[in-house]
Every structure is written in C-alpha cells, then in structure tokens.
Amino acid sequence: MTTSTTTDPTRTAPPGPLLELTNVSKLFPVREGILRRVRAHVHAVSDVSLTLARGETLGLVGESGSGKSTLGRLALRLLEPTSGRIDYLGQDITNLKRGSLRSVRRNAQMVFQDPYSSFDPLSPLASSVAEPLAVHGEGGGSARRARLEELTRLVGLGPQHLDRYPSELSGGQLQRMAVARALAIEPSFIVLDEPVSSLDVSTQAQVINLLEKLQHELGVAYLLIAHNPALVRHASDRIAVMYLGEIVEVGSAEAVYTTPKHPYTHALLSAVTVPDPDLQRTRRRIVLQGDVPNPADPPAGCRFHTRCPYVMDVCRSEVPPNFVAADGTSVRCHLHTSGPVLDGAPVADLLATSGAATSYEGSPS
Ligand code: SF4
C-alpha cells in the first residue's frame, strides 16, 4: 500500500455513486468559410445518463467514433458538457470553474492509449511521473523521490526505470509507468482510454491484471474505454454500449455479454471469438449492413435504425424509451415495448422467427 499522506475523499463521502452523469450531451460545432461560420454540430455525446460506483469498473464499448473518448473526457470535466449534469461524490461539478475543479481533478486521472505519446521523449521518466505531485504541490526532494520509487514498485517496475527515457522502455513498461503516474496522487477514479490496444496480446494481459490488482488493493474505480468487447467483459463489473453518441445498453458484464438485448450489442458481440471451440462453432457473426451515419446529421428516431435488421416503422420516427429488464439491464430499443415484444429477453430469441435481412459470416452448425 502507499505511504502518501493525502486523504481519499471517498472515505468520508456520503453514500451514493462516485460519479453520476445525468442527460449529458456534447455538441462540437462544424465551421466553414473564411468567417468560420457554424454550419452544423457533431452530436458526439447525446443525452447520456450513467453512474460509476466506488471501486467499480465500468466498461464502455462501441465502434470508433461512437463518442466513448469524448464521454471519458466529459466525466473528468476535461470537456465542458453542452447540456446535462455531472455529479462527483454528490457534488454538482457541471459548472465548476478551473480553481474549484482542482480538487476534483486531483481525484480523477486518465491513462491514454499510446504510452509513447503520453510522455515527454526528452525527459527522464521520473519528471513525467512526478508531474501530478508537482501540480498539486505534494512532496519534494527526497520524499518525492521515495514516492516515485514506491509507485514504480507498485506497478511492477524498479527505481532504475525512473531514470530512463521513454524510448528505453517497452510499450508494456511504459504503460505501467503511465499507470504509476495516474496513481501518484491516489485518485478515486481513473479513465482508461484504450489502455492496452497498442500493446501485444501477452502484454495486454499483464497490464489488465495489474490494473485489477491495483483496484483490489487501492479501491480505485475505472471507466474502461475499449473497442474489444472480450477484454471489457473480462475486466468490467458492468458494461455500457455506445452507438453514435448514445448509450443503447448498460448492465452487468455477464448479462450484457451472454444475453445482449439491443441489436447493436448483439452484432458487436457476435464478432468476439469464445475460447470453447464447440460453443464457437454454434455462433454466427452478424455483419451489419450500411455505414455508420454522419454524427453531424444523426437519423431521427432510433439512431441505429439505418442498420438494424429488425427496424420497424416506429423506429424511424420515435426515440426508443429506456426499458429496464428483469436482470437490471437498461436497453433503448422499441423491440422491448413494440412489435414482436421482447420484454427484456435477449435479441437472439428473435433470430429463429424473424425474416429480417441479417447477414451472417460463416455457417452455423
Ligand atoms: Fe432496431 Fe428499432 Fe431497436 Fe432501433 S429501436 S435497435 S431500429 S428494433
């Protein structure tokens, strides 16, 4: 465990979620011409409501461009939401200004995808890892060095690595250093934005195992952003699925992974290879037709309706309500309330009876 003298506000905080996003949206203006007039807005995140509990890992999956990273930055208030509310430990931080945000940011850190671009290539790693301590005025001299050495041991490296330059470490070692830096001021919450996607498979496992071990020891909560659903299932307590800026399904990792209730989740997970060869032979990969729509002009009604094999008339005009299934999963899809009512059952139940134009890759046995 760490020896830092800093205190964790979650230990004295009232009960309730660590982080709560309520109807959060983020629009980015698209400008053109010499006068840079606003021509349209990219709907990067739309009406997202999510909670993150203390010590929990919430996995966030979806295709590239679905808004996952923007949502991670909003959660840290690195971006201003266009609308909605963000609460941290019961405090509304939506409109906090820079000075007041400082104490929030002290408890919330981020680990990025590419460890090589996360560090200054011209500085020894000690100075980069010490940045959060310097920013928040913690320690100094030999105390700071002792803290850095403690952090490097925590992530499975040695003090000698602190005096090296980023180019002298492997990708896996450098990502461990990025985790050490994120932990330097004992945050209660870390956004992990594709933390292992640039690493080879064996190193990915090492870093994920390290993150789980640290969570067990330190109680830190993670928002784990990844496009690999298998990785997210392994590492997450709950999974949220994003499509074109919206959360379309959120529930326990087990429920979302084994009985997906939204057609998009079903298609996304059908691409994952399972380790059991007998089970794998029974699986069919769903290949979605069409392209992801332009986020500057998202479709009316359900945003997935242009690619959904089960689309109904209602889907083209009405935004699906949030439906909570018996297993606690929240899903936004008319199938659970209209048409061939699933009423919380998995989408797979429709496959046998639907004449939908779903295409499959490989032959089901
Ligand atoms: Fe498909 Fe309609 Fe459900 Fe959207 S609401 S996912 S279009 S069935």
Side-chain angles (χ1 to χ4, degrees), residues 196-313:
V196 296
S197 58
S198 65
L199 307 177
D200 64 64
V201 175
S202 65
T203 312
Q204 285 185 7
Q206 289 173 18
V207 173
I208 289 294
N209 290 340
L210 169 69
L211 290 167
E212 288 181 334
K213 172 175 168 281
L214 294 173
Q215 183 176 55
H216 184 69
E217 292 175 0
L218 307 175
V220 61
Y222 298 137
L223 178 62
L224 173 60
I225 297 169
H227 62 266
N228 180 347
L231 174 99
V232 169
R233 183 207 186 180
H234 168 77
S236 305
D237 301 299
R238 289 187 302 137
I239 294 176
V241 183
M242 266 191 111
Y243 181 77
L244 212 59
E246 295 182 334
I247 300 291
V248 296
E249 183 164 358
V250 58
S252 74
E254 190 63 20
V256 171
Y257 198 86
T258 58
T259 56
K261 296 169 180 59
H262 193 283
Y264 177 64
T265 313
H266 192 228
L268 199 67
L269 297 181
S270 74
V272 176
T273 303
V274 297
D276 180 342
D278 292 333
L279 183 59
Q280 180 60 30
R281 269 194 292 277
T282 67
R283 288 166 59 87
R284 295 183 291 184
R285 178 170 182 174
I286 299 169
V287 181
L288 293 172
Q289 306 298 304
D291 296 325
V292 178
N294 181 356
D297 185 21
C302 171
R303 290 190 177 180
F304 188 55
H305 85 247
T306 57
R307 303 172 77 198
C308 179
Y310 308 107
V311 61
M312 302 174 285
D313 286 346

Side-chain angles (χ1 to χ4, degrees), residues 249 255-256 259-263 265 325 327 329 331 333 336 342 344-347:
E249 183 164 358
V256 171
T259 56
K261 296 169 180 59
H262 193 283
T265 313
D327 63 7
T329 304
V331 56
C333 170
H336 295 274
L342 280 173
V347 177

Side-chain angles (χ1 to χ4, degrees), residues 16-140:
L18 181 79
L19 182 77
E20 184 166 15
L21 277 61
T22 308
N23 305 119
V24 169
S25 296
K26 179 65 183 178
L27 306 180
F28 291 106
V30 179
R31 300 178 187 277
E32 67 176 11
I34 298 173
L35 298 176
R36 310 297 296 151
R37 288 213 171 92
V38 175
R39 179 175 58 82
H41 285 93
V42 170
H43 298 243
V45 170
S46 299
D47 197 25
V48 165
S49 295
L50 273 181
T51 59
L52 181 71
R54 296 166 174 79
E56 178 190 38
T57 297
L58 174 64
L60 191 56
V61 292
E63 293 165 290
S64 294
S66 59
K68 306 185 299 294
S69 294
T70 301
L71 186 59
R73 283 164 173 76
L74 286 166
L76 293 175
R77 274 292 324 270
L78 296 174
L79 287 173
E80 297 265 345
T82 306
S83 60
R85 171 175 168 146
I86 302 171
D87 287 89
Y88 177 75
L89 291 175
Q91 179 195 4
D92 183 356
I93 63 166
T94 319
N95 299 306
L96 286 188
K97 299 300 173 209
R98 183 177 298 203
S100 308
L101 263 181
R102 203 175 153 87
S103 66
V104 174
R105 295 230 172 101
R106 190 195 170 292
N107 292 294
Q109 296 289 307
M110 190 155 187
V111 173
F112 297 92
Q113 175 178 357
D114 179 6
Y116 288 100
S117 61
S118 302
F119 292 97
D120 179 353
L122 302 178
S123 299
L125 286 157
S127 64
S128 294
V129 177
E131 267 169 22
L133 297 170
V135 167
H136 293 279
E138 292 193 12

